[in-house]
Every structure is written in C-alpha cells, then in structure tokens.
Amino acid sequence: MAARPRRDPCRPGGAGRRRPPRLWFRHHRWEVTEQAVYTRTGWFFQEWRVAPLSRIQTVDTVRGPLEQRFGLATLTVTTASAKGAVKVEGLDAETAADLAAELTVATQATPEDAT
C-alpha cells in the first residue's frame, strides 16, 4: 500500500498540528541590540515595536501554566510608552531569564532617564 501524502496545514483541510511553531517564528520576531529591544508580531496586521534601552523601566518574565508545562516564558519590557509593554512570547525559560538579567544590567548602565 502506498503512503498517503501529508496535507499542508496552511491549506484548507490541512492538519494544523504539524507546523504552528514554524508559522509562529515566521511571523513573530525579536532582537536585542546595544540600543534597543525590537519586536515584530502579526500575520495579517504586522506591528513593529522598538523600546530604546534608555526608556526601559522594568523587565519581567512571566510563566503561565502552559508555558511552565512546555518550559517557555514571556519576557515583558515595560517603558513609559502609552502603547504599553513590549512582549517577547514563546522564549525558552532559561533564555528569558538570561535576557531579563542582561537587559537589567544594560539599562542600569544607560545614562539617560527612563521616564
């Protein structure tokens, strides 16, 4: 008996369990540089957020029940922006903790005011 071809989860009738992480990473990006934290999210409506290190007020990691189950965490960078905090979701828990510590040190070393 011949093997059945696999369905593409992006097409109607596809099995949606095989590629969500791949699609997630295609449409959700983040980067931390010496100047800022950058995030891009969205599939249809894309949002690009930049949080300069000089404007960062707090850096938090959050782990809900599902994130704990899968060893993930969300990094939340709070600024004085009216738009709200910048969030990097789906990080490995260890990576999120290391990044939070690194950003804390970097923002303390930044001479400008974070208000």
Side-chain angles (χ1 to χ4, degrees):
M1 181 188 276
R4 292 177 48 192
R6 293 186 175 190
R7 293 187 194 174
D8 186 350
C10 298
R11 294 183 182 162
R17 293 184 181 170
R18 280 182 279 141
R19 287 201 199 159
R22 187 175 187 187
L23 290 174
W24 173 266
F25 291 118
R26 183 183 295 173
H27 298 286
H28 295 80
R29 305 278 175 123
W30 63 274
E31 180 181 6
V32 177
T33 66
E34 294 178 4
Q35 293 84 24
V37 177
Y38 302 91
T39 62
R40 188 187 78 179
T41 59
W43 295 41
F44 297 111
F45 297 99
Q46 293 185 352
E47 179 180 49
W48 178 258
R49 302 278 312 270
V50 179
L53 292 184
S54 62
R55 305 295 289 169
I56 294 175
Q57 294 179 333
T58 62
V59 180
D60 303 310
T61 56
V62 178
R63 297 184 70 201
L66 284 176
E67 289 174 316
Q68 290 178 33
R69 171 73 172 101
F70 294 106
L72 302 174
T74 297
L75 179 76
T76 304
V77 179
T78 306
T79 65
S81 170
K83 184 72 173 174
V86 174
K87 293 185 178 186
V88 181
E89 299 173 327
L91 292 175
D92 177 66
E94 186 176 324
T95 302
D98 292 344
L99 196 54
E102 184 180 315
L103 284 172
T104 300
V105 170
T107 55
Q108 288 176 350
T110 305
E112 298 174 18
D113 190 15
T115 58

